[in-house]
Amino acid sequence: MSQALYRKYRSKSLDEVVGQRHITDILAKAIKAGRISHAYLLTGPRGVGKTSVARILAHEINGLPYSDDSTHLDIIEIDAASNNGVEDVRDLREKVQLAPVSAAKKVYIIDEVHMLSKAAFNALLKTLEEPPEHIVFILATTDADKLPATIISRTQRYGFRAITDEDAVTHLRMIAEAEKIKIDDASLQLIATRGDGSFRDSISLLDQLASLADEKKGITPELIEAALGLAAQKTITDILAAVDARNLSKVATLLKQTEAEGIASSNLAAQLTYEIRNRVIDNPSLLPLLDSLLDVAKSSQPHIKLLTVLGGFATEQKGQKSVALAAPVREVSASIKELSKQATRKKPVEPEQPAKETPSGPPAEFDWKSLIEHTRTHFVALFSVLSKCSHSLEESDLTLYTGNAFYKKKLDDPKYSSHLYESLQAIGSYQLTVHTVPTGAPLKDSQAAAVAAIMGGGEEVSLDADIAPAAA
């Protein structure tokens, strides 16, 4: 039976470990100087070399040669996932008292140590803090956040990094050449990307594809896409082009096509995310779309979520905030005095700008009562907050005075703000930009404002001018 490639090409010395020089250099120097700790903690994502380094370190501490098939009585590996009870740890505490058989140190490697139970951690604490002179513990985990702080503080911690695509491609190319696997650079890059920072995942994928590849063509991007259920790169490019061209019909057609081909929406969203991430420096306007795509995998109906995200962005007018992307209301924090000054300050005359493209004709004159009535009919929750606010309008800036921080927080919530922008669009005031202020509206009368400031704030109230004065 052939050996899996990730096992065949596992590192055999600290010098062979790829992408973790910040750790291997320190460990090599410490071993050379004879500075051996009683406990090490290796943390980091899966498939980056934690277990390999643990085994190499255990052998080098004892000056023993290491190969993947080598075994030694004084190097004991324990899988915490299946030996996580307090009785298992008590058994370990008894065995650590025994001296090594032939090596200088008895080394215990505990893999996935975060799987130990709370009682097991408590039982391990004292032994981990003050082990016998002949004992070294090497703990490894992919989830250091689940470890008690008391365990972490008793170890030397080394954090492993995810493997970069460049390192993964170089390593995969070396393996492919050694195994005489025909593969092009584009395919190596695609495998490294799908490996998501894990050497083991990348090498396993190369191993899988090598058995599927045609002898003449070798491994190609098309083979990888078919094997992993991915959309073709051209499809990804066409979808983004359709979104940029605001062609909703084309977007819907392409999504329907990928669904018919059996491509999972979560995979398609991940591919779009990767492509946009590479483009976003040159095209920052893609940032809102990138942010929204992150929610697709969390949805109970990812295919519908993907359509609404891409469709919402495709129907957005250029230069206009998208309702579908739930653009948050812009936050403004200022005192009443500062807002009063801003309201009276004259704005410089700006040169005329060419008219912006609008959804349908020129914007209608803003009508507060129409906005309130629309929210009352369509968005009751928004109406309950908005009806308690006052407002002011200056050119295209609509300022909402919520009266308190609680109502401001409500209006700033994406759910409320998206409904607010949708309501503004419904009444023809789509050109307005909304600001929220957690206070009442500033008083128009300067003398009254000064009095209100002294009294700690106030609200302007209109009195009926027809009320007759009281009789003298």
Side-chain angles (χ1 to χ4, degrees), residues 34 36-39 61-62 96-100 103-107 127-137:
I36 307 300
S37 173
H38 69 280
I61 285 173
N62 285 309
V96 298
Q97 302 302 323
L98 301 175
K105 299 279 187 180
K106 181 183 285 189
V107 183
T127 303
L128 192 64
E129 182 177 23
E130 298 177 358
E133 285 293 323
H134 59 267
I135 293 295
V136 173
F137 286 104

Side-chain angles (χ1 to χ4, degrees), residues 41 80 110-117 121 124 139-142 147 151:
L41 174 61
I110 306 180
D111 205 5
E112 299 301 337
V113 68
H114 66 273
M115 299 291 288
L116 291 179
S117 65
F121 275 126
L124 181 63
L139 316 180
T141 178
T142 55
L147 296 182
I151 292 288

Side-chain angles (χ1 to χ4, degrees), residues 398-416:
L398 174 63
T399 302
L400 300 178
Y401 300 97
T402 65
N404 58 58
F406 176 75
Y407 286 149
K408 171 181 167 53
K409 185 177 179 180
K410 284 284 187 185
L411 291 181
D412 288 345
D413 185 274
K415 178 182 176 182
Y416 282 75

Side-chain angles (χ1 to χ4, degrees), residues 284-335:
S285 64
L286 289 172
L287 275 172
L289 178 56
L290 179 62
D291 183 56
S292 296
L293 284 171
L294 298 177
D295 295 328
V296 173
K298 305 173 190 174
S299 175
S300 58
Q301 295 186 332
H303 58 294
I304 299 297
K305 181 66 176 177
L306 183 58
L307 176 60
T308 58
V309 168
L310 295 175
F313 203 86
T315 54
E316 176 193 357
Q317 296 294 324
K318 288 190 176 181
Q320 175 192 338
K321 288 189 176 181
S322 170
V323 174
L325 293 179
V329 179
R330 195 169 71 188
E331 180 177 345
V332 174
S333 300
S335 66

Side-chain angles (χ1 to χ4, degrees), residues 361-383:
E365 185 176 347
F366 174 68
D367 186 342
W368 176 253
K369 290 183 179 178
S370 296
L371 177 62
I372 294 295
E373 179 61 25
H374 185 274
T375 58
R376 186 186 69 80
T377 306
H378 296 83
F379 307 111
V380 177
L382 174 60
F383 167 76

Side-chain angles (χ1 to χ4, degrees), residues 279-288:
R279 297 185 183 190
V280 79
I281 295 177
D282 297 325
N283 191 358
S285 64
L286 289 172
L287 275 172

